[in-house]
Amino acid sequence: MMILNDGNQIPSLGFGTYLSKDEEVKQAVLAALKAGYRHIDTAMIYENEAGVGEAIKESGVPREELFITTKLWNEDIRKENAEEALKLSLKKLQLDYIDLYLIHWPAKGYVKAWNQLIELQKSGLIKSIGVSNFNPHHLKDLEESGVVPAINQVEIHPKLQQADLIAYCKERGIQVQAWGPLMQAALFQDETLKAIGEKYNKSTAQVMLRWHLQRGVNALPKSVTPSRIEANYQIFDFELSKEDMNQIAEMNEGKRVGPDPETFDF
Ligand code: NDP
């Protein structure tokens, strides 16, 4: 568990659902809950909240054991529509509160959206509030509100390590989450990661996830394959040495697989 700046706790490994739809996402989330994950990451724009909700209901896992995140999409940010968007997400998820609600991208109007989230948190519909894909200058714009985001969810993997952004967030008590923690499957053949994995009898995916954990980053690996879902959760029984962590640190190239928050256009 990691403790957020508002006192709430978040399981240190989450489960991603981007690009999984309907029945597929339902089966994936059921497999994840069976494997031990208690923290699920979805978003309005993934169009799979209903499937996630069905899996939660069918799993029988008590609500208070779960940590569910969803996100406010850009169109609703621009339209200042946070309240309706949140209520629609809750309905699709069949939940009466969300553990974490994030502003998905720093789309025009994000400061207003942040103030709306602060009010919605007071209403009890959301436990924690945060942002995603925010750089320091976006975070600075929120300072006037007096409320520091609990989370900043950004792209992080060994080729885009974001050390400066992580340090900036850490200084301000903002927990960083990694999306694309496995670089969206682009790094599994990497020789450095493979060699490190062999030492511990772990896969490259497990090495990457352990690396996030040891950096204090909350990772959200996605898979729809039950064996991978299970394996990705098996990262709490080994520890990468300082030398291995340093070797991975050297892999950084500042290389993104997703859009850049400074230039995105959706
Ligand atoms: P990931 O880095 O999690 O990679 C997912 C890919 O890796 C899938 O193709 C999956 O395949 C494959 N994979 C997973 N585990 C293994 C394994 N052990 N061995 C081999 N292949 C594996 O990318 P995502 O972009 O999905 O990021 C994770 C989550 O972060 C998302 O699902 C979403 O919840 C969130 N996200 C947030 C964004 C934001 O803007 N805030 C943007 C993008 C993602 P398969 O499924 O076929 O098993």
Side-chain angles (χ1 to χ4, degrees):
M1 286 283 183
M2 291 167 171
I3 298 179
L4 303 177
N5 63 18
D6 56 14
N8 291 330
Q9 291 194 345
I10 184 169
S12 38
L13 190 72
F15 183 68
T17 62
Y18 179 49
L19 297 180
S20 340
K21 295 266 153 73
D22 308 323
E23 190 56 28
E24 186 183 56
V25 85
K26 182 179 166 187
Q27 294 311 324
V29 172
L30 278 168
L33 294 172
K34 201 170 155 214
Y37 299 78
R38 288 294 177 267
H39 165 193
I40 313 290
D41 183 87
T42 180
M44 168 78 93
I45 196 67
Y46 301 168
E47 296 179 348
N48 64 13
E49 289 168 311
V52 172
E54 277 178 38
I56 292 171
K57 205 171 170 192
E58 208 172 296
S59 73
V61 177
R63 175 66 183 98
E64 62 275 14
E65 283 183 22
L66 297 170
F67 190 100
I68 310 296
T69 302
T70 193
K71 313 185 190 91
L72 178 67
W73 185 241
N74 302 351
E75 211 177 305
D76 291 311
I77 296 170
R78 292 185 199 107
K79 285 192 197 152
E80 298 175 29
N81 207 26
E83 186 171 351
E84 277 103 302
L86 171 67
K87 287 184 174 161
L88 187 57
S89 287
L90 284 166
K91 194 172 164 205
K92 288 186 180 165
L93 285 160
Q94 303 185 55
L95 298 176
D96 50 18
Y97 69 91
I98 300 283
D99 295 275
L100 175 64
Y101 200 46
L102 302 179
I103 295 182
H104 206 145
W105 283 88
K108 198 166 186 285
Y110 63 84
V111 176
K112 272 198 178 150
W114 181 245
N115 289 316
Q116 290 177 325
L117 261 55
I118 292 170
E119 290 310 310
L120 288 167
Q121 186 182 28
K122 287 179 193 155
S123 75
L125 294 177
I126 319 169
K127 299 282 184 203
S128 293
I129 54 177
V131 296
S132 179
N133 300 299
F134 274 45
N135 280 332
H137 72 95
H138 302 118
L139 291 166
K140 272 201 189 94
D141 290 341
L142 307 184
E143 283 175 6
E144 222 175 284
S145 73
V147 179
V148 180
I151 293 273
N152 187 16
Q153 181 181 123
V154 297
E155 180 182 342
I156 306 180
H157 42 70
K159 297 286 180 191
L160 180 73
Q161 303 198 1
Q162 304 259 39
D164 291 347
L165 180 60
I166 293 172
Y168 183 93
C169 289
K170 203 171 174 191
E171 265 171 38
R172 286 156 184 83
I174 303 170
Q175 173 64 50
V176 174
Q177 286 187 323
W179 67 254
L182 304 171
M183 204 183 174
Q184 298 183 341
L187 266 184
F188 295 129
Q189 298 313 318
D190 181 85
E191 293 302 331
T192 304
L193 296 174
K194 269 198 208 167
I196 293 174
E198 274 163 23
K199 287 201 259 178
Y200 302 93
N201 202 15
K202 292 285 179 183
S203 68
T204 50
Q206 289 165 326
V207 169
M208 279 188 265
L209 295 173
R210 183 71 207 183
W211 171 76
H212 286 291
L213 191 67
Q214 288 184 213
R215 294 177 94 210
V217 170
N218 195 240
L220 310 166
K222 172 261 174 187
S223 175
V224 294
T225 314
S227 58
R228 293 172 176 172
I229 292 171
E230 269 177 51
N232 290 349
Y233 199 71
Q234 302 308 313
I235 60 160
F236 300 100
D237 56 356
F238 76 114
E239 190 173 346
L240 296 170
S241 67
K242 209 170 166 196
E243 192 183 63
D244 297 327
M245 291 296 288
N246 289 341
Q247 230 186 326
I248 301 174
E250 284 171 19
M251 290 174 64
N252 187 41
E253 293 174 10
K255 189 174 164 190
R256 291 179 186 277
V257 284
D260 186 335
E262 297 305 317
T263 55
F264 75 100
D265 63 352
F266 41 84

